[in-house]
Amino acid sequence: MGGSSKSSSHSSTTTNYYDERVTGAEGSHIANAIIHGDGNNVQITDGGAVQDSLTFAGNAVEAALTFGLASQSNALEVLEKQGSEQLNFVTTAYNSALAAQKSADERLISDIMPYLIGGVSLIALMALTRGK
């Protein structure tokens, strides 16, 4: 009895691709990368660009805050000046009204004073004549 035999073999090959093309500007840093397989994406972050963008954003925020604080300070100065001027106006108007009222009261008293003195004199004279 004979038997049957079967043999098989299998082999695979792995290929590594190296792209050694390099481009860069003065002061740039290049990192080597090894890519295996198909359909790979490679993302390289430019740390200098990230730092510069964060610095730019920080400068923009600082400028906005400086402008806002200066605007607020100017607005408060204007309000203080206007408030002081309005207070002076109201104080002057009040003092003028008070002086006018005092003057009117003084005129009234000086106008009726002779009648008051005459009335008091008449009452005193009547009181003296009744007592007799």
Side-chain angles (χ1 to χ4, degrees), residues 7-11:
S7 72
S8 69
S9 75
H10 177 62
S11 69

Side-chain angles (χ1 to χ4, degrees), residues 68-89:
L69 289 174
S71 297
Q72 183 182 28
S73 176
N74 290 341
L76 290 174
E77 287 176 14
V78 168
L79 287 174
E80 179 185 12
K81 180 180 177 188
Q82 287 180 349
S84 177
E85 289 173 357
Q86 290 173 356
L87 181 61
N88 287 339
F89 174 78

Side-chain angles (χ1 to χ4, degrees), residues 19-123:
D19 185 353
E20 295 184 9
R21 293 175 291 177
V22 176
T23 59
E26 181 180 337
S28 63
H29 299 280
I30 306 296
N32 291 330
I34 299 173
I35 303 169
H36 298 283
D38 296 328
N40 293 303
N41 292 323
V42 176
Q43 296 178 343
I44 298 174
T45 302
D46 182 352
V50 171
Q51 170 128 11
D52 289 348
S53 66
L54 292 174
T55 301
F56 174 77
N59 290 342
V61 168
E62 184 178 349
L65 287 174
T66 301
F67 175 77
L69 289 174
S71 297
Q72 183 182 28
S73 176
N74 290 341
L76 290 174
E77 287 176 14
V78 168
L79 287 174
E80 179 185 12
K81 180 180 177 188
Q82 287 180 349
S84 177
E85 289 173 357
Q86 290 173 356
L87 181 61
N88 287 339
F89 174 78
V90 169
T91 301
T92 301
Y94 174 77
N95 288 337
S96 296
L98 187 61
Q101 181 62 41
K102 184 177 178 183
S103 176
D105 290 346
E106 288 173 349
R107 279 194 312 269
L108 177 65
I109 290 172
S110 67
D111 287 347
I112 64 168
M113 189 59 70
Y115 300 107
L116 289 173
I117 293 174
V120 170
S121 299
L122 184 60
I123 292 171

